[in-house]
Amino acid sequence: MTSISINNFLKCKVFLVIGASIDRNKFGNKVVRCYQQFNLPVIPINKRETKIEGLNCLDSISTYQSIISDTNYNNINNYPIEKDISKIGISIITPPGVTSLLLDEALNLGYKHIFLQPGTYDNNLLKSIELDSKWSTMNIIFNSCILVELGYEH
């Protein structure tokens, strides 16, 4: 991870937060509020909630992929739309076992920019990212925190 990786991530036009939470004490909520604090277009991803911090939730990154692929989509929920998948950043706030599955899904869907928040990965996952060439097409950030990088104040 380099500052170039983080800068490239922050150049994204839309940010998806997987593991977004309604609990304001959890990092999944703080990350959503962080993006809002800096007026960055954000969509919370949560399978159980419909709204977090006043924003309409989606249940998965696959659902967002369907939305941006549908030329006839009526954006009644006012989701920020970015059709160029290389300009979409994903912040992940999930346990390591779930994170691994989400990374595979993101790779298969063509997403390029992933920010793994602290606690979302373990040594096995990091070793896989470093050794397996399938990850070489992605900008995967770890050992950092988006709240710190952006200077979030809560």
Side-chain angles (χ1 to χ4, degrees):
M1 178 210 56
T2 66
S3 59
I4 294 170
S5 299
I6 293 170
N7 287 338
N8 286 339
F9 180 86
L10 293 174
K11 288 179 185 174
C12 288
K13 303 295 183 193
V14 172
F15 297 91
L16 309 179
V17 178
I18 304 174
S21 172
I22 59 169
D23 185 339
R24 295 190 70 137
N25 294 311
K26 292 193 172 188
F27 285 102
N29 183 281
K30 290 177 183 182
V31 171
V32 170
R33 286 187 284 141
C34 177
Y35 286 121
Q36 288 178 312
Q37 185 178 80
F38 291 93
N39 296 313
L40 296 169
V42 60
I43 300 173
I45 307 292
N46 184 302
K47 291 185 183 298
R48 294 180 300 277
E49 302 298 334
T50 57
K51 277 194 181 286
I52 294 176
E53 295 300 319
L55 300 171
N56 293 310
C57 295
L58 291 175
D59 63 351
S60 70
I61 59 174
S62 297
T63 301
Y64 188 71
Q65 184 78 12
S66 297
I67 289 171
I68 63 174
S69 299
D70 184 354
T71 56
N72 296 318
Y73 178 70
N74 182 357
N75 195 6
I76 59 171
N77 290 314
N78 294 319
Y79 295 117
I81 300 295
E82 176 55 58
K83 295 204 177 264
D84 182 350
I85 203 157
S86 70
K87 295 180 180 175
I88 299 168
I90 299 175
S91 290
I92 298 181
I93 307 101
T94 59
V98 176
T99 299
S100 179
L101 297 172
L102 292 169
L103 280 175
D104 282 331
E105 181 181 12
L107 176 70
N108 292 334
L109 291 171
Y111 289 98
K112 302 293 182 205
H113 299 283
I114 310 290
F115 204 118
L116 301 179
Q117 286 297 110
T120 64
Y121 51 87
D122 56 23
N123 288 336
N124 290 335
L125 180 57
L126 292 182
K127 192 177 291 185
S128 169
I129 291 169
E130 291 173 6
L131 298 176
D132 194 332
S133 63
K134 73 179 183 181
W135 304 113
S136 65
T137 62
M138 297 177 84
N139 174 27
I140 302 175
I141 301 164
F142 54 91
N143 290 338
S144 189
C145 174
I146 194 69
L147 304 177
V148 172
E149 295 298 332
L150 288 175
Y152 172 67
E153 296 179 19
H154 51 106

